[in-house]
């Protein structure tokens, strides 16, 4: 078996008495989309924070590309090649779409300490940013203020910024959240093609998307992984049927 | 040219035109007022990098303004007394040369900003305001209690410092020098805002998590911005001391910090020429209303209130409308 690109090993995070993540171990392998599903408050976003460095675990380890990154901060993990998207869009709303994408391109370049040449006139930055915007279908609105984008477009921009980083793994928190059926379908097709570029750890509530995309699936309930495996394996798992998918699964 | 571009051009033409007119009709006092406005604007341009671009509300910029002032005062007072600053281990003499004084002022203010920034940028919001205020006050009380350089009374410099090829005692020439430095600082801050650094800093003000998620450090961006900001305000401090030929602890007072913030807010936060408009209005009010009443700050307060309540973009922002999106 090939080594996983990204792995958590028993990561735990407590908020007071609540264990939002409780000994979570999972792996993201090259070329796969690994979906993480679970009811509201199961600890999915907390898990992503632990993976990306926004929170430090109380126990457990995170390894990325063979290195223990548990002690690294968010910036260091991003530079190591982790591309994250947020459940609630985290974009510079006063800036244009292009400026947000250029920010990603600056991150990819590894520094922003240039003070003289305009960022948007730097062909290398601009090309990288525009290429990412084109891929998600936002090239037409590159000059629009981000605050003026529709909700769905903001979700696309989240993904575009991650693309500019050309990461070694994507970690996406509900990229289709609130997108509507058409937008979800388009995003699903897009992510399907993306797994060839880098594997995706995909947290998603949209079951159509999960069933269409996931090579493997982990089910998180009350901070614990109750099942992990292929779609068929997880569907057949009695604990999952009871706790999450319901009778009709 | 954009609407804001025209407003900026008009504004700068005004700041340069008034003293030229005053020079033609031989009104040296008006030239001095314009010089004061240009220097205070320069201090505001410095603060605007931290406050406008970086969203860092520093109530301690008087520290950098005062450091610039004392850099000038210390160097020039030793030079005028023919008394070296130190003899061992190496001999360091005072100087009356502006370029050297500026260099020392900028370096000292930058160093102080590095230390103050490294400590205070670990906090944010109200705590950041309070910590920067506390640092400013530390410098203030230090200056008061430092008898070697005048303590509470400050330091007088008898003759304005020199600049190669110019007669700095001539008000219009000194104005020209200050105005040229202001233009340079404006050019720098305008370029900075659009450069990668400005883009990232501006994003770090809005969504620091996003900036970290693309692999950039919001802390480092802010720290560098704070250092640049302090350095420019320090340069303004050196010029201000040279204008008055006098330095005193007042330059370090928290009121000074507050006034620099007022220039930025009156003129328009994050607008390149905002501090120019703010400082010019401040000096004009101080002069016109100050003649009428000792309590002219009341009127300043009312104007500030009006800006904050009804014209959030300040003078430049209100005249230019919302800009900056399409570039
Ligand atoms: N910073 C925090 N402080 C205290 N409790 C928190 C914090 N963040 C999350 N929690 C709690 O931890 C639990 C897990 O939250 P989390 O956001 O990870 O869930 P989720 O699976 O992403 O849910 P959703 O599907 O609604 O996005 C919730 O009960 C939440 O209230
Ligand atoms: Mg969540």
């Amino acid at each position: 078996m090939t080594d996983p690109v990204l792995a958590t090993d028993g990561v735990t995070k407590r908020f007071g008495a609540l264990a939002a993540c409780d000994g979570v171990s999972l792996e993201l392998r090259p070329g796969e989309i690994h979906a993480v599903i679970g009811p509201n408050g199961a600890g999915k976003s907390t898990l992503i924070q632990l993976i990306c460095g926004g929170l430090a675990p109380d126990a457990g380890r995170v390894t990325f590309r063979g290195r223990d990154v548990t002690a690294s901060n968010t910036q260091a993990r991003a530079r190591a090649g982790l591309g994250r998207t947020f459940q609630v869009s985290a974009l510079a709303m006063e800036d244009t779409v292009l400026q947000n994408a250029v920010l990603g391109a600056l991150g990819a370049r590894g520094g922003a300490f240039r003070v003289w040449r305009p960022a948007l006139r730097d062909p290398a930055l601009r090309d990288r940013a525009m290429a990412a915007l084109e891929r998600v279908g936002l090239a037409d609105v590159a000059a629009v203020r981000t605050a003026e984008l529709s909700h769905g477009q903001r979700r696309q921009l989240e993904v575009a910024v991650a693309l500019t980083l050309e990461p070694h793994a994507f970690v996406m928190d509900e990229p289709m959240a609130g997108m509507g059926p058409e937008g979800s379908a388009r995003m699903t097709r897009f992510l399907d093609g993306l797994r060839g570029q880098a594997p995706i750890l995909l947290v998603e509530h949209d079951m159509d998307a999960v069933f269409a995309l996931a090579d493997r699936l982990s089910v998180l309930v009350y901070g614990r992984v109750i099942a992990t495996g292929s779609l068929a394996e997880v569907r057949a798992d009695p604990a999952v049927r009871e706790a999450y998918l319901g009778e009709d699964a | 040219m954009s609407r804001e571009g025209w407003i900026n051009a008009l504004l700068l033409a005004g700041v340069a035109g008034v003293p030229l007119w005053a020079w033609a009709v031989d009104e040296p006092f008006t030239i001095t007022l314009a010089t004061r406005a240009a220097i205070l604007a320069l201090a505001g341009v410095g603060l605007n990098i931290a406050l406008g671009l970086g969203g860092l509300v520093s109530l301690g910029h008087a520290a950098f303004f005062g450091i610039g002032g004392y850099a000038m005062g210390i160097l020039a007072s030793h030079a005028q007394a023919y008394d070296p600053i130190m003899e061992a281990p190496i001999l360091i003499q005072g100087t009356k040369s502006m370029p050297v004084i500026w260099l020392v002022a900028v370096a000292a203010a930058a160093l102080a900003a590095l230390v103050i920034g490294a400590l205070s940028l670990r906090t944010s919001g109200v705590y950041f305001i309070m910590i920067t205020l506390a640092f400013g006050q530390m410098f203030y009380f230090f200056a008061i209690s430092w008898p070697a350089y005048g303590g509470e009374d400050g330091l007088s410099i008898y003759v304005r410092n020199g600049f190669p090829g110019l007669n700095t005692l001539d008000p219009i020439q000194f104005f020209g020098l200050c105005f040229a430095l202001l233009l340079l600082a404006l050019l720098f801050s305008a370029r900075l805002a659009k450069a990668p650094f400005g883009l990232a800093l501006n994003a770090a003000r809005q969504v620091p998590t996003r900036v970290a998620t693309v692999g950039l450090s919001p802390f480092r961006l802010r720290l560098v911005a704070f250092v640049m900001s302090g350095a420019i305000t320090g340069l303004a401090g050196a010029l201000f001391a040279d204008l008055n030929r006098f330095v005193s602890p007042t330059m370090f007072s928290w009121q000074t910090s507050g006034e620099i913030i007022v220039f930025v807010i009156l003129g328009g936060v994050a607008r390149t020429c905002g501090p120019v408009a703010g400082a010019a209005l401040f000096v004009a009010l101080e002069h016109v209303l100050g003649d009428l009443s000792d309590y002219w700050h009341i009127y300043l307060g009312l104007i500030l209130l009006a800006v904050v309540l009804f014209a959030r973009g300040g003078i430049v922002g209100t005249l230019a409308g919302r800009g900056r999106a399409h570039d």
Side-chain angles (χ1 to χ4, degrees), chain B:
Chain B
M1 198 152 68
S2 71
R3 187 150 163 192
E4 188 171 342
W6 282 108
I7 291 169
N8 292 347
L10 219 68
L11 202 58
L12 292 171
V15 172
V18 168
L20 281 176
W21 164 82
W23 177 56
V25 299
D26 198 23
E27 288 265 4
F29 182 65
T30 305
I31 303 178
T32 301
L33 281 183
T35 311
R36 185 176 162 84
I39 293 170
L40 294 179
L42 181 64
V45 171
L47 177 65
N48 208 16
I49 292 175
L51 176 61
L53 270 185
L56 306 168
V57 184
S58 162
L59 197 46
H61 262 51
F64 313 126
F65 196 62
I67 285 171
Y70 272 85
M72 175 294 207
I74 292 169
L75 289 169
S77 68
H78 281 279
Q80 75 186 4
Y82 300 101
D83 166 30
I85 295 176
M86 110 183 170
E87 282 169 281
I90 46 164
L91 179 71
I92 298 181
Q93 299 276 12
T95 175
K96 294 283 288 175
S97 154
M98 280 191 192
V100 178
I101 289 171
W102 295 346
L103 224 65
V104 173
V106 164
L111 183 68
L114 183 68
V115 174
I116 295 176
L119 295 170
S120 50
L121 286 168
R122 315 231 164 244
T123 66
S124 61
V126 172
Y127 297 101
F128 179 77
I129 298 178
M130 287 299 125
I131 291 192
T132 50
L133 171 65
F135 275 114
Q137 289 301 91
M138 275 167 53
F139 278 97
Y140 176 70
F141 287 110
F142 181 72
I144 280 188
S145 59
W146 200 15
Y149 295 108
E152 222 165 329
D153 300 331
L155 278 173
S156 284
I157 304 302
Y158 306 125
V159 181
R160 185 168 289 150
N161 297 303
F163 189 89
L166 290 181
N167 174 13
T168 55
L169 299 180
D170 179 5
I172 194 72
Q173 294 195 35
F174 183 58
F175 170 81
L177 205 54
C178 296
F179 189 69
L181 288 175
L182 173 63
L183 287 182
L184 281 178
L186 285 171
L187 179 66
F188 174 73
S189 81
R191 300 286 306 205
L192 184 73
K194 300 208 164 172
F197 182 80
L199 191 146
L201 178 65
N202 195 35
R205 171 177 63 78
Q206 300 171 60
V207 268
T209 47
R210 159 60 62 204
V211 173
T213 304
V214 300
L216 302 172
S217 161
F219 176 79
R220 275 174 60 191
L221 289 164
R222 289 180 186 138
L223 185 58
V224 172
F226 200 71
V227 169
M228 292 193 282
S229 172
I232 293 173
T233 301
L235 176 62
L239 294 174
F240 191 75
D242 234 328
L243 173 69
N244 302 325
R245 277 165 270 172
F246 176 65
V247 215
S248 80
T250 319
M251 284 184 78
F252 281 121
S253 72
W254 65 269
Q255 287 91 334
T256 302
S257 294
E259 281 175 4
I260 304 175
I261 294 181
V262 167
F263 307 150
V264 174
I265 293 178
L266 268 185
V269 174
R271 302 288 179 160
T272 305
C273 282
V276 180
L281 180 65
F282 183 90
V283 171
L285 287 175
E286 182 181 49
H287 177 59
V288 175
L289 298 175
D291 275 356
L292 300 177
S293 156
D294 285 343
Y295 302 108
W296 71 276
H297 279 99
I298 295 175
Y299 300 100
L300 178 70
L302 288 176
I303 291 176
L304 198 61
L305 209 62
V307 164
V308 171
L309 289 177
F310 306 114
R312 292 295 281 273
I315 298 168
V316 175
T318 305
L319 293 177
R322 197 160 89 168
R324 238 186 82 74
H326 303 265
D327 43 295

Side-chain angles (χ1 to χ4, degrees), chain A residues 15 18 20 38-47 55 87 173-174 205:
Chain A
F15 296 114
L18 174 82
N40 289 111
K44 305 181 297 295
S45 295
T46 303
L47 176 63
L55 289 170
Q87 181 173 357
D173 199 351
E174 303 197 27
H205 271 303

